Amino acid sequence: MLALGFVTQKALADWQNTPLYMPHFQFYERHSTTIRTTHPEKILPAIADYDIQQDFLIKTLMSVRQLPQKLLRHKSEKTINQFGLHSFTLLESSTTELCYGLRGQFWRPDFGLEDVPDASAYCAVLRPGNAKLLLRYQVQQLANNKYVLCTETFIYCPDRATRLKMTGYWLAIRLGSGLIRQRTLKAVKHELEKVS
């Protein structure tokens, strides 16, 4: 069963298209849009190059998320000035798929991010207390000049205590995170359809 983005063991056992970099996960979200374009090769580069700071609503949501960090800045050595796709590690890049990874304690004001220089570091065993996130974009052709662009978020927690912390955070940010994904897809769709 999948409710509010929580993935049960039974649902995971029947999952289709499980990501290579995250075969097990407890949290999931998916959004998609259909794009009419004669240049499908530009879809994923448009996602990779999209600056979320150019969207006022996304920028506002990200500012709200980073407010606790700004209020506690003097107590934290690590601060993130502008959180975005550049904060992730690129794991996979092909003509039909982009995968980005992130590891840390996302519920903390400073996100508690680990330094993840490459796919090997991303795939290493997690310490208890840290979670792993995978952001995947996929493009599939539906018909001539018609493509579906899908974004999926997968999160894995290695232990019960981490899952409980992630659950509270997930419930708090899920709607905002989903809105960010939807607006990103909409912006890319608009950009590509404008020039096709």
Side-chain angles (χ1 to χ4, degrees), residues 100-114:
Y100 294 92
L102 202 62
R103 293 168 56 122
Q105 298 174 344
F106 314 127
W107 50 89
R108 284 180 27 186
D110 65 356
F111 298 91
L113 297 182
E114 291 182 23

Side-chain angles (χ1 to χ4, degrees), residues 24-195:
H24 304 286
F25 48 92
Q26 298 97 2
F27 303 88
Y28 174 77
E29 186 169 13
R30 180 185 189 279
H31 301 279
S32 65
T33 190
T34 301
I35 300 174
R36 295 181 184 278
T37 180
T38 55
H39 299 286
E41 74 282 358
K42 294 184 178 180
I43 296 174
L44 290 178
I47 281 289
D49 294 339
Y50 182 70
D51 178 10
I52 62 172
Q53 297 299 315
Q54 66 186 335
D55 183 299
F56 176 76
L57 184 57
I58 294 176
K59 189 174 180 178
T60 301
L61 288 170
M62 294 305 294
S63 293
V64 169
R65 167 56 185 92
Q66 291 179 280
L67 188 60
Q69 175 181 284
K70 290 175 183 170
L71 294 174
L72 299 171
R73 180 167 283 165
H74 65 284
K75 295 181 180 179
S76 175
E77 291 178 16
K78 282 187 174 180
T79 57
I80 296 176
N81 293 325
Q82 298 294 339
F83 184 81
L85 208 49
H86 63 276
S87 305
F88 290 71
T89 301
L90 178 62
L91 303 172
E92 170 114 9
S93 178
S94 72
T95 57
T96 59
E97 186 173 308
L98 281 174
C99 287
Y100 294 92
L102 202 62
R103 293 168 56 122
Q105 298 174 344
F106 314 127
W107 50 89
R108 284 180 27 186
D110 65 356
F111 298 91
L113 297 182
E114 291 182 23
D115 181 28
V116 183
D118 54 32
S120 178
Y122 177 79
C123 292
V125 176
L126 275 171
R127 294 189 318 254
N130 281 12
K132 190 188 293 192
L133 184 149
L134 181 78
L135 180 59
R136 178 169 72 178
Y137 294 97
Q138 289 184 320
V139 175
Q140 292 179 329
Q141 186 170 10
L142 295 178
N144 193 28
N145 299 335
K146 189 176 177 183
Y147 300 84
V148 63
L149 171 61
C150 173
T151 175
E152 297 170 288
T153 303
F154 304 85
I155 301 173
Y156 169 72
C157 300
D159 57 86
R160 186 174 185 275
T162 305
R163 275 194 302 277
L164 289 174
K165 289 176 185 174
M166 189 63 218
T167 295
Y169 181 65
W170 180 255
L171 291 172
I173 61 99
R174 184 170 177 262
L175 289 177
S177 174
L179 187 56
I180 289 169
R181 303 278 181 258
Q182 290 168 10
R183 289 183 70 86
T184 300
L185 294 179
K186 183 178 177 183
V188 167
K189 173 185 170 79
H190 177 72
E191 177 187 333
L192 292 171
E193 290 186 345
K194 184 174 63 176
V195 297

